[in-house]
Amino acid sequence: MFGLESWQTLLVDWRIFAQGLAQTVLASVLGLALALALGVVMGVLGVVPVRPLRWLNRFYVEFFQNTPLLTQVFFYYYGLPRLGLRLPVLAVGVMGLGIYTGAYIAEIIRAGILSVHRGQLEAAFSQGFRYEEAMRYIILPQAFRVIMPPLTNQFVNLIKNSSILSFIAGYDLMYHADVWSSYNLLYGVAYVTIAALYLCLTLPTATLARRLERRMQATWGGSVS
Amino acid sequence: MKKRSWFAVLSLALVVALVFTVAAGCSKPSKQPTIDKIKKRGVLKVGVKADVLGFGFMNPATKQYEGLEVDIAKRIAKDLLGDSKKVEFTAVTGKTRMGVLDNGEIDMVIATFTITEDRKKLVDFSPVYHVDGIQFLVKKDSGITGLKDTDKKTIGVAKGSDTQDRLAEQAAKLNIKPQFASFETYPEILAALQSGRVQVFATDGSVLKYYESQDKNTVILPDKYSSEEYGVATKKGNDDLRDFVAKVINNMVSSGDLAALKRTWGLGK
């Protein structure tokens, strides 16, 4: 199963895996952008003093955190076309990953904002800041320090979760490994190879984010571990 | 910084260690003849399809597997263990059937498994018990009449099948470039066809019959694009079991039992 021949067969077909890697990176990067945008907006909505907006935040977070990602993606892939919206498979993947991860990020942002002492907001008001200004200049920068570490985990999770594209013929790394290995019947080498490739994506992401976090702690006078 | 890169090295080392553990596990040969092992266990473990009407199908009403391949499994159990009920069925798909055979979870695969030269290197096959061919299921209003109409269209196939390779070869001769999308199960390909994700559902005609019956807006096209010879697969190295199965199949052919079973399941020519 892990003989030299198996590895040779895999090397001959390296282009297939390279294509898969490219698609996985593309889906992850775009998904991440969508997740961040949705997460920040929805997270802030979770603390604004307008009740319907907070309800919107609750609905979004609870619904998308508590249903399986695969179910959501199947709905976008098979269900939406019946409602007249047939998105390309990459868009389905980005949408699925972005909306799902966005729900987790929203919760992280909300918790981060709430972790900043109330007195900070009151102090900002007393200095004549409007609500949006207080958020932008006083609260969010402080919340960011609390937000960064769990956010990193979400980035890494999103990259790993991108493998669900394989279930909707998404031409990602997992899909190509599935198709290639089930045709060649060489499961071992294929999955070990893509596990290593996923590590190549996730480890640098985690490392980079950690370094960023440390720099920010230094800037903001936090303790440097 | 140092600490982080150590973690990376450690993770990769773990992966490598895993590879060697699995590899070591694979190369261990079993001395005991397989048939003795099955007799001691008292039950034959067979991988069959659960969604191919007439071959291997889990009847939702009776909760029993039924079909030609299920009957062949029962016959092998009768000849081997003296009781056609001593079979334990496991549902497999094109993607999973090799894995469960390889890890010893099942003794044999009887699951619309086409005999190919590549697969012969990895498993042992019995003599042919059925011949089928790749056909297309399309929407009636699609205007597709055959492979020639599939340029730049998407053809849905099953993961682990040889359908894509067979069709790609013939498409290249016609100088057209269809796209392929592989799915885990047949119902997903039907859903993809219905939602317009793929324009063609391609697999063996016998499989398609059931899905055609599930959707009145679809039709199977008459052209066949391959000759798929089904065989019973056993794990390499289990020569005693392979020879036994071959004998059972040959007996079923010569006695006319196989032909009778095919008529029962509506698979006769």
Side-chain angles (χ1 to χ4, degrees):
Chain A
M1 213 171 179
F2 286 94
L4 195 61
E5 255 178 73
S6 314
W7 291 105
Q8 279 168 343
T9 317
L10 187 135
L11 277 180
V12 169
D13 290 335
W14 69 273
R15 269 191 192 83
I16 294 173
F17 289 85
Q19 278 169 12
L21 185 65
Q23 181 86 341
T24 291
V25 169
L26 191 61
S28 298
V29 169
L30 294 176
L32 202 61
L34 179 63
L36 267 179
L38 268 174
V40 169
V41 170
M42 285 294 182
V44 170
L45 289 190
V47 295
V48 292
V50 183
R51 195 165 281 168
L53 291 180
R54 288 210 301 273
W55 286 340
L56 181 63
N57 160 279
R58 269 354 279 163
F59 172 77
Y60 170 70
V61 168
E62 297 301 340
F63 183 81
F64 288 100
Q65 272 196 1
N66 296 311
T67 49
L69 172 57
L70 191 57
T71 316
Q72 294 169 21
V73 169
F74 269 17
F75 174 74
Y76 305 142
Y77 188 76
Y78 294 112
L80 285 188
R82 299 198 174 206
L83 305 174
L85 180 64
R86 189 180 306 133
L87 297 166
V89 70
L90 178 66
V92 169
V94 169
M95 198 170 133
L97 291 168
I99 295 177
Y100 178 80
T101 314
Y104 284 90
I105 293 181
E107 207 51 2
I108 292 167
I109 304 264
R110 193 179 72 92
I113 293 172
L114 290 178
S115 76
V116 179
H117 195 271
R118 235 199 110 68
Q120 295 284 327
L121 194 65
E122 283 160 5
F125 285 153
S126 78
Q127 295 302 308
F129 281 85
R130 280 184 287 118
Y131 183 80
E132 310 89 75
E133 289 169 344
M135 270 292 158
R136 166 78 182 79
Y137 295 107
I138 309 293
I139 308 296
L140 282 179
Q142 295 184 67
F144 218 66
R145 274 186 298 165
V146 186
I147 289 166
M148 245 349 244
L151 207 55
T152 311
N153 290 338
Q154 291 306 320
F155 292 175
V156 171
N157 273 341
L158 186 140
I159 295 172
K160 291 186 293 176
N161 283 341
S162 71
S163 58
I164 50 101
L165 259 78
S166 69
F167 284 95
I168 53 166
Y171 306 106
D172 67 315
L173 201 47
M174 188 73 190
Y175 172 85
H176 281 301
D178 260 358
V179 172
W180 184 88
S181 63
S182 58
Y183 182 73
N184 290 288
L185 306 176
L186 301 171
Y187 297 93
V189 289
Y191 290 124
V192 165
T193 301
I194 66 160
L197 289 173
Y198 276 112
L199 271 178
C200 290
L201 296 180
T202 50
L203 280 181
T205 306
T207 312
L208 183 80
R210 218 155 297 235
R211 211 183 294 176
L212 215 69
E213 185 191 316
R214 203 164 306 165
R215 189 188 302 169
M216 210 145 41
Q217 268 174 344
T219 313
W220 289 85
S223 61
V224 181
S225 54
Chain B
M1 213 25 248
K2 263 270 144 58
K3 217 185 214 170
R4 292 296 302 159
S5 27
W6 268 110
F7 269 121
V9 171
L10 200 72
S11 312
L12 284 175
L14 254 168
V15 169
V16 173
L18 193 78
V19 172
F20 282 106
T21 320
V22 175
C26 283
S27 56
K28 201 165 63 190
S30 73
K31 290 262 157 54
Q32 195 184 21
T34 318
I35 287 184
D36 288 351
K37 230 164 48 190
I38 297 169
K39 280 186 173 158
K40 203 179 275 173
R41 192 200 300 142
V43 63
L44 183 70
K45 294 183 175 176
V46 182
V48 293
K49 290 274 178 84
D51 58 356
V52 184
L53 202 64
F55 287 83
F57 185 74
M58 166 63 91
N59 188 327
T62 61
K63 298 269 191 296
Q64 299 288 319
Y65 286 98
E66 58 181 41
L68 174 69
E69 291 171 336
V70 172
D71 287 346
I72 291 174
K74 285 177 179 167
R75 176 63 177 271
I76 294 170
K78 187 167 177 260
D79 289 2
L80 191 67
L81 302 166
D83 187 347
S84 66
K85 289 200 185 72
K86 287 186 174 163
V87 202
E88 194 180 294
F89 292 108
T90 302
V92 297
T93 67
K95 196 183 133 188
T96 63
R97 60 190 167 195
M98 263 305 297
V100 285
L101 184 64
D102 216 39
N103 70 16
E105 208 173 295
I106 55 174
D107 301 313
M108 61 186 68
V109 170
I110 320 181
T112 63
F113 208 177
T114 304
I115 304 168
T116 68
E117 288 308 313
D118 282 341
R119 286 173 181 166
K120 272 189 200 165
K121 290 178 202 152
L122 297 144
V123 295
D124 286 327
F125 281 105
S126 75
V128 181
Y129 60 83
H130 187 76
V131 181
D132 206 342
I134 297 170
Q135 283 180 271
F136 286 178
L137 181 74
V138 298
K139 281 188 179 167
K140 278 177 183 162
D141 57 9
S142 69
I144 295 172
T145 60
L147 187 61
K148 63 178 169 44
D149 301 325
T150 60
D151 194 22
K152 296 194 179 74
K153 298 256 169 39
T154 306
I155 300 178
V157 300
K159 277 182 187 166
S161 70
D162 55 353
T163 314
Q164 176 170 346
D165 270 45
R166 301 272 166 112
L167 290 177
E169 273 166 29
Q170 296 178 47
K173 280 183 209 148
L174 292 171
N175 218 358
I176 58 168
K177 277 203 175 81
Q179 254 224 306
F180 290 94
S182 296
F183 295 87
E184 305 283 321
T185 64
Y186 295 125
E188 282 169 55
I189 312 179
L190 182 68
L193 181 73
Q194 289 168 332
S195 58
R197 292 283 169 193
V198 302
Q199 285 73 51
V200 175
F201 176 176
T203 190
D204 300 353
S206 53
V207 177
L208 289 178
K209 265 185 212 156
Y210 174 66
Y211 296 98
E212 185 190 35
S213 74
Q214 294 298 301
D215 185 341
K216 288 189 188 69
N217 298 318
T218 64
V219 62
I220 298 175
L221 301 177
D223 287 354
K224 289 195 175 182
Y225 298 99
S226 68
S227 172
E228 309 283 326
E229 301 186 323
Y230 295 166
V232 180
T234 47
K235 194 175 171 177
K236 274 245 180 275
N238 297 345
D239 293 3
D240 53 340
L241 187 62
R242 175 198 65 196
D243 295 343
F244 188 88
V245 171
K247 218 164 61 195
V248 175
I249 298 289
N250 285 334
N251 281 341
M252 289 179 79
V253 173
S254 59
S255 66
D257 289 357
L258 191 66
L261 278 177
K262 284 189 191 182
R263 276 194 298 278
T264 313
W265 294 109
L267 304 170
K269 287 288 130 69

